[in-house]
Amino acid sequence: MISCQGLIFAPVPTLTGRKNRARGKEAYMYKVFEIEHGNVEEKALVSSYKVGEFELPAITVGETGRGRELGILAVEYPDFNPKTSFNYLKFARVEKLSSGKFRLVKADKQEDDSKAIIVFRTPIGFRGSNEHTGDRNPAGFYCSSCKKEWGELKPEEGDRYPGCPQCGLATFLKRKFLPFPGEILVKGKIAQGDAGRMGSGQQIVALVPKDVVFRTNLSGRLYGKPSAFYYIFNGQKILAATWDERQAFGLF
Ligand SMILES: [Zn+2]
């Protein structure tokens, strides 16, 4: 068989070489993780994406169909075997193609622990959505109706918060979160129902910095699943915990 990778990727300039160095940006080898709302794997599944007669290695997020969007992140994977489902990526470089899209190149070790490549297979709650953010913002709460900021408010019982001190409506009161700290390499969209009308959410692959908290949050009916998980990459591992676990154990 002719190498399909050679055929497809040959015209693409490799950023590990001269072109990349010219921009002062080396393509380092990072650890790769996969996170499904609280569940962390130290590898990511590379699937086979069919382009004509070729089966090309790629990490895909989201899904195909109306109201949905499949995000495709090409992977250069020399020993890729489309016949098996055991093509995993543990380390990779990030390259930018001339199209402006990113691709990953399989590597055999971690060279730079300042960032990690993370595949977020974040689900959505029933008839709900999801979000990827940074840590809780110390600025506390704001009201999406009267636009006032209220600082930290105490929960009444359990996880329930009082209403906006001005409007009195709890539904308008939202906690502020810092923006998602990672650089997004590709985005996809999952959904429920015809044309995604019942609910939809994002799945992403991102380059996430070390020692910075990030979070996945689900809305909709969760059937007992925690709505939010907080994470931190310490250079080697990713720790996942709920807010209560972070508080109880004094974690990050
Ligand atoms: Zn208000």
Side-chain angles (χ1 to χ4, degrees), residues 143 145-147 150 164 166-167:
C143 174
S145 175
C146 68
K147 312 288 178 210
W150 295 107
C164 166
Q166 182 156 297
C167 310

Side-chain angles (χ1 to χ4, degrees), residues 47-160:
S47 45
S48 146
Y49 187 86
K50 230 171 162 218
V51 181
E53 61 185 293
F54 299 117
E55 295 191 77
L56 302 178
I59 289 177
T60 57
V61 287
E63 44 190 26
T64 52
R66 275 180 72 202
R68 290 140 169 94
E69 193 186 317
L70 189 72
I72 305 166
L73 184 61
V75 180
E76 196 179 302
Y77 196 111
D79 48 346
F80 182 69
N81 180 359
K83 302 278 175 283
T84 76
S85 52
F86 303 106
N87 299 292
Y88 289 106
L89 205 55
K90 290 188 162 182
F91 310 98
R93 300 175 189 272
V94 180
E95 292 188 348
K96 199 167 193 176
L97 304 177
S98 49
S99 63
K101 302 277 186 190
F102 293 96
R103 82 164 161 188
L104 302 183
V105 178
K106 189 184 183 187
D108 54 7
K109 62 172 195 290
Q110 184 189 35
E111 200 179 51
D112 184 344
D113 70 356
S114 70
K115 290 173 187 174
I117 298 164
I118 307 176
V119 179
F120 289 88
R121 301 205 179 276
T122 313
I124 54 177
F126 181 66
R127 291 181 179 272
S129 186
N130 68 20
E131 55 178 349
H132 302 85
T133 71
D135 203 358
R136 286 188 178 190
N137 188 327
F141 288 85
Y142 75 101
C143 174
S144 60
S145 175
C146 68
K147 312 288 178 210
K148 277 224 158 118
E149 300 199 354
W150 295 107
E152 200 53 54
L153 296 168
K154 290 233 177 313
E156 278 172 334
E157 54 176 284
D159 222 14
R160 275 200 24 226

Side-chain angles (χ1 to χ4, degrees), residues 20 188 211 230:
N20 201 33
D211 296 336
Y230 296 79

